[in-house]
Structure formats: C-alpha cells, structure tokens
Amino acid sequence: PDSMMYGCLMKFSVECGRTQLSQKLSEVAPSLDIQNYMSLIRAAGRDRDVDRAFAVLNRLKASGVHIDVAAFNCVLDVCVSAGDMDRARALVKDMRASKHVDVITYNTLLKGYTAKADVRGAKELLAEMSSLGLRPNDVSYNCLINAAVSAGGGNFREAWETVELMEQSGVSVDHYTLSIMMKALKRV
C-alpha cells in the first residue's frame, strides 16, 4: 500500500475504535501528512491519552511537515477531554507564543472551564480572547453561560449578564443558549 492507503486505513481504524492499530500503521507507512498525524492525535483523544497526543505532536514537529493551528487544537481537545487543564493551559501559552491560536483554540479551552464549572477562569479567558483581537462567538458565550449555571447551584445572575454581553457584542442568542438556560431552570 502507498501513503494514501495507509492514511485511509489509519483514519478508519481510529473511527472504529482500533486506536492501537492506527499507531502500528503509522509506524510502517512510508510517509505521513498532517491529516495522518491528526488522526493519530484523535486516536489518543479517543483513549484520553494526553501523553500520547503530545508524543504525536512532537513526532509531527520533528517530521518537518508544516503544523497548522488545527493540529495544535486537536492536542488541546485531548487535554480538555481528559480533564488535564494544566497541560491545556500550558499548550495554549505555547500556541500564543508561536501565533497558533484562533477562536476554536479558546472555545476548546472554555469547554474545559465549563466542565469544571469555573466561571471566573472562563470569564478571564473570554477577556484574554478579546484582548488578542479574537471575537468571541456563540459557542464562546454559551460555554460561559453553561459554566455559570453549572457552578454550585447555578448562578443565574451571571448567566443573564452573559446573555446581555452576548447581545451587546452582536452575537445572537441561539437554540443552544435557550437549551442551556431551560435545563438549568429544570434543576431549580
């Protein structure tokens, strides 16, 4: 098989949950492109294996293949999904230094703050995002709203303030916003 065939086999093995097979295929493939490396990172994510995701990222860096922000965001998603916010924050710090950040980077990190119901951290992150010239979108605000209503019994004042900020920023309330608020009201 050629590189393309190996790439397809790696991707399919990840999708089928055969993450170790994808790793073995990558070791015998004649060459890997950025999509192949991202499949390997997703495989690590599927296994919640942060160390393996970083090992693939390091292998990618050493390969000479151009690394784009999407590859870094894949590793970030593995950190957040595994609940390793310390490594997630360290990665974003490195990404900022190398100018590899975008709205998706910050939304992914916001997802981690939401999972921890860390409203203060999420608000600080939203402010940092804006200070870098990255415009928060509906996903950004919905993460902050979700963090607010998930924190210790639900902070509805904070959630409504975020809805107001969202509207002032020109971002429309969407069905996800309404769903978050309705689910939070059901818990009261």
Side-chain angles (χ1 to χ4, degrees):
D2 63 5
S3 294
M4 183 178 285
M5 179 63 78
Y6 275 109
C8 290
L9 291 170
M10 285 170 46
K11 181 180 177 190
F12 297 142
S13 64
V14 171
E15 289 176 8
C16 294
R18 304 277 313 272
T19 58
Q20 294 304 316
L21 176 59
S22 68
Q23 184 68 31
K24 287 178 185 174
L25 289 167
S26 78
E27 293 166 3
V28 296
S31 65
L32 300 176
D33 63 19
I34 188 72
Q35 294 304 318
N36 301 140
Y37 283 106
M38 288 174 63
S39 287
L40 292 171
I41 294 167
R42 286 187 191 98
R46 195 174 172 114
D47 294 340
R48 295 182 183 265
D49 189 338
V50 176
D51 290 331
R52 186 164 29 122
F54 275 97
V56 174
L57 180 62
N58 290 334
R59 184 175 164 196
L60 172 58
K61 287 176 181 177
S63 75
V65 173
H66 173 73
I67 305 174
D68 60 9
V69 69
F72 285 105
N73 284 341
C74 272
V75 176
L76 179 61
D77 189 56
V78 174
C79 294
V80 169
S81 297
D84 193 341
M85 292 301 289
D86 291 335
R87 291 200 58 194
R89 283 187 287 269
L91 178 60
V92 170
K93 183 179 178 186
D94 291 344
M95 291 169 68
R96 269 194 316 266
S98 65
K99 308 266 191 268
H100 281 101
V101 294
D102 60 11
V103 173
I104 294 169
T105 304
Y106 280 89
N107 286 346
T108 303
L109 197 53
L110 277 167
K111 183 174 78 170
Y113 283 102
T114 298
K116 304 274 187 204
D118 182 354
V119 178
R120 185 179 58 79
K123 286 179 78 171
E124 289 172 1
L125 193 64
L126 202 69
E128 178 183 312
M129 184 179 181
S130 296
S131 76
L132 293 173
L134 297 171
R135 187 171 181 258
N137 61 15
D138 56 331
V139 174
S140 313
Y141 289 110
N142 286 335
C143 281
L144 184 54
I145 292 166
N146 199 18
V149 298
S150 299
N155 186 337
F156 290 97
R157 182 185 52 77
E158 187 78 48
W160 283 113
E161 287 175 5
T162 304
V163 169
E164 288 176 22
L165 178 63
M166 183 178 185
E167 291 175 332
Q168 290 168 3
S169 299
V171 178
S172 299
V173 169
D174 62 11
H175 66 282
Y176 292 109
T177 312
L178 298 174
S179 175
I180 293 165
M181 295 299 278
M182 294 303 288
K183 285 178 185 175
L185 286 172
K186 282 175 51 175
R187 288 183 288 207
V188 175

